[in-house]
Amino acid sequence: MALIAFNSPCTARPFTLAATRRTWAGRVLTGAGLALLPWMGYLAGTLPPAEAAAWVALDAVEAACLLVAGTRLMAGRPGHRVAAAAAALLLAADACADVATAGPGSELAGAIAMAVGAELPLAITCAALAARSPR
């Protein structure tokens, strides 16, 4: 077994702090994109058809952007910046639309909690990744 480990045909990338941060950010974005998939099913099943189509379409584009940016970051491939910028814009717009269209009471409180706790921090992370200079 030791010979296989030392003579592996796969070349391992050297450990660097930048690579670790990139992998961590890629996992967060990919996880967020995957988490949107069951959420879209919930929206499709609980909202009226006209509203469901709009919200599911928005969340599907968000999920696609997050998945593209996250998988490219984890693989160490370039090209994540455009997807991250698009995800940041869509997440910020989604947070604003959620809060603006929420009814009073617990619906508004839930929309604000989702915006402050999930959508806006993720949008800020995506914007920071998109603004970083390529290395």
Side-chain angles (χ1 to χ4, degrees), residues 4-104:
I4 293 172
F6 289 117
N7 296 322
S8 174
C10 300
T11 57
R13 289 186 225 161
F15 174 80
T16 62
L17 187 58
T20 303
R21 286 182 184 158
R22 183 178 58 238
T23 302
W24 180 83
R27 287 181 180 162
V28 168
L29 296 183
T30 303
L34 291 173
L36 280 173
L37 300 177
W39 176 249
M40 288 186 288
Y42 171 76
L43 290 177
T46 58
L47 292 176
E51 288 182 38
W55 287 113
V56 169
L58 175 63
D59 286 345
V61 176
E62 285 176 10
C65 291
L66 289 168
L67 289 170
V68 167
T71 54
R72 286 186 175 273
L73 274 171
M74 285 193 301
R77 294 190 326 228
H80 69 277
R81 296 175 69 206
V82 173
L89 178 67
L90 290 168
L91 286 163
D94 191 3
C96 291
D98 284 343
V99 172
T101 60

Side-chain angles (χ1 to χ4, degrees), residues 98-117:
D98 284 343
V99 172
T101 60
S106 63
E107 190 177 340
L108 180 60
I112 291 172
M114 282 293 292
V116 172

